[in-house]
Amino acid sequence: MDGTSLDPNAPVHWSATSNVFWKTALPGLGHASPIVWEDRVFTATAVPERQARVLLCLDRLNGRLLWQQAVLTAPMERKHSLNSYASSTPATDGRLVYVAFLDRDKMVVAAHAFAGRQQWLVRPGPFSSMHGFCSSPVLYQDKVIVNGDHDGDSYIVALDRKTGQTLWKTPRENRTRSYCVPLLRELDGRVQMVLSGDKCVASYDPNDGSRHWIIDGPTDQFVASPVYNQKADLLFVTGGFPDHHILAIKPDGRGNITKSEKIVWRTNKGVAYVPSPISEGDYFLVVSDGGVAHCFEAATGHIAWQERLGEHHASLVSANGLVYFLNDDGVMNVVKPGPEFARMAQNAIGEKTFASPAISRGQILLRGEKHLFCIGKQVN
């Protein structure tokens, strides 16, 4: 959910022709990241000539496309040139796979069985944005939670996993588009769902949608999701448009904490708008869309280093103490966080990349413009 992996065997070195376990051509186009459950890989795509938004299932053992199931057929929406018609990453609980798309002016959320058959499809609310759609579902207990920030009556909605029925729906005040996935953590002795967007940063109770705390601003629109550093006990938010800010926030607030000491440090240096940052050890790392990476000391905000790594839209991921920066040209810089810039590897797959990587059991799944790559050795 926040880009961190506990996998101690994630690959560090590869190229377009070496340490690639399999490579599979994907139908259509999309920026949805792959997700993995045991021997299945799921992602989403769009086939504009059929006006179809499609869920894909592959065999993670050999990359074979097992099935493709149309979730929705509807006219293609207006979107930003850097967005896609299938940018929302699916989620799964091992029984169903949950996906979200846009049907003209309404959000669509659907659930499919592992064999592909659609179990339910609902339209939980309106959605309007000149930049298109990208609201990835997250799972909590019996709920599928989706961010509905848009240029209208914004909301967060929780649906029943089994039926799609709306369990709660919390309005957002500022009627402004954003595309962030909420971060779910137990913080300050309570479960918090932290969401940046809609001209604010706010924490909610995912059980009923009630709000714990809120910060006004510091900007209008957000795309990157929040992350948490356990050592420093700080939440980090980066965004956005039109103003650029990074905030480090203590998660023990109540009510409106905009002018409180709960904002421990802030900066307008090194801000990312689209790619989500990462927290690793004593450090907070972020890369701007233009490609300048910054490593901050998490507790203080002191800049340890900065380095130019190429334009980025994929979010950062980490494993085994290393942080993976995947730029738009398909080049992965593997970096060890520390007081100085330390590049452990630089790997190119020879294809444009906008989707974030997935790490699983000693492999990295990379979605390129045309192919899905499985990097690493055979799964034991």
Side-chain angles (χ1 to χ4, degrees):
M1 185 188 302
D2 63 358
T4 59
S5 171
L6 300 177
D7 193 330
N9 301 309
V12 175
H13 301 279
W14 64 87
S15 72
T17 56
S18 66
N19 205 23
V20 176
F21 185 51
W22 51 256
K23 172 184 173 183
T24 298
L26 296 180
L29 298 168
H31 296 170
S33 298
I35 63 169
V36 185
W37 187 279
E38 295 180 347
D39 62 349
R40 295 289 179 266
V41 179
F42 301 97
T43 192
T45 193
V47 185
E49 57 268 29
R50 292 174 20 213
Q51 297 190 332
R53 282 63 153 195
V54 179
L55 178 63
L56 305 175
C57 177
L58 297 90
D59 189 330
R60 70 101 38 94
L61 302 179
N62 54 31
R64 183 167 63 94
L65 184 60
L66 297 176
W67 51 261
Q68 47 185 308
Q69 182 69 44
V71 178
L72 169 72
T73 301
M76 314 311 288
E77 64 266 17
R78 181 183 180 187
K79 67 174 184 63
H80 193 283
S81 61
L82 291 173
N83 200 358
S84 79
Y85 298 114
S87 292
S88 303
T89 296
T92 185
D93 55 11
R95 189 181 71 87
L96 297 175
V97 185
Y98 306 91
V99 289
F101 294 103
L102 186 63
D103 179 4
R104 287 166 276 240
D105 60 351
K106 293 183 175 61
M107 176 194 292
V108 167
V109 185
H112 286 247
F114 267 41
R117 183 176 179 182
Q118 191 169 97
Q119 303 300 295
W120 52 258
L121 182 147
V122 296
R123 293 171 174 82
F127 194 95
S128 174
S129 169
M130 61 187 291
H131 292 159
F133 184 79
C134 179
S135 291
S136 301
V138 296
L139 306 182
Y140 173 73
Q141 294 183 351
D142 61 340
K143 301 171 183 67
V144 184
I145 299 174
V146 190
N147 170 17
D149 284 347
H150 73 110
D151 296 336
D153 292 328
S154 297
Y155 55 91
I156 313 170
V157 64
L159 310 173
D160 185 278
R161 284 196 202 184
K162 294 180 180 179
T163 66
Q165 176 186 356
T166 297
L167 299 177
W168 57 254
K169 189 174 182 180
T170 297
R172 306 261 278 167
E173 291 93 338
N174 295 312
R175 301 171 60 90
T176 301
R177 74 188 84 110
S178 75
Y179 304 94
C180 304
V181 177
L183 175 72
L184 284 154
R185 284 287 183 276
E186 185 168 342
L187 304 170
D188 185 43
R190 52 193 169 155
V191 180
Q192 298 195 44
M193 180 177 67
V194 182
L195 179 61
S196 51
D198 194 60
K199 299 184 181 181
C200 67
V201 181
S203 169
Y204 299 86
D205 183 341
N207 293 291
D208 58 13
S210 61
R211 194 169 69 199
H212 296 305
W213 53 261
I214 188 170
I215 294 170
D216 299 326
T219 190
D220 291 1
Q221 297 171 30
F222 299 80
V223 180
S225 295
V227 295
Y228 174 69
N229 184 282
Q230 186 172 5
K231 283 190 173 184
D233 189 29
L234 289 173
L235 291 158
F236 297 99
V237 172
T238 179
F241 181 85
D243 301 315
H244 306 283
H245 295 270
I246 292 173
L247 301 184
I249 306 163
K250 272 286 188 187
D252 58 351
R254 301 288 191 282
N256 192 310
I257 61 171
T258 306
K259 298 181 179 179
S260 74
E261 73 286 355
K262 302 304 180 187
I263 302 175
V264 176
W265 60 262
R266 70 169 74 209
T267 183
N268 58 10
K269 296 179 179 178
V271 176
Y273 181 34
V274 173
S276 295
I278 201 84
S279 171
E280 183 64 35
D282 294 318
Y283 298 94
F284 167 72
L285 297 97
V286 62
V287 62
S288 68
D289 302 42
V292 180
H294 281 72
C295 178
F296 296 88
E297 291 179 359
T300 66
H302 170 74
I303 297 175
W305 52 258
Q306 64 182 60
E307 188 77 14
R308 187 168 291 280
L309 298 177
E311 291 187 2
H312 276 69
H313 289 89
S315 295
L316 306 187
V317 297
S318 69
N320 201 25
L322 301 177
V323 175
Y324 292 72
F325 292 80
L326 179 64
N327 71 26
D328 294 357
D329 291 324
V331 177
M332 181 80 86
N333 288 281
V334 185
V335 175
K336 186 174 180 59
E340 298 178 350
F341 178 71
R343 178 163 34 211
M344 313 308 290
Q346 187 177 66
N347 313 302
I349 59 168
E351 197 168 302
K352 289 280 189 180
T353 47
F354 296 93
S356 303
I359 299 174
S360 172
R361 292 162 63 192
Q363 296 177 334
I364 297 180
L365 282 301
L366 295 181
R367 181 182 187 162
E369 210 168 24
K370 298 178 180 178
H371 297 86
L372 184 63
F373 298 81
C374 180
I375 308 298
K377 297 179 171 54
Q378 183 170 348
V379 173
N380 296 322

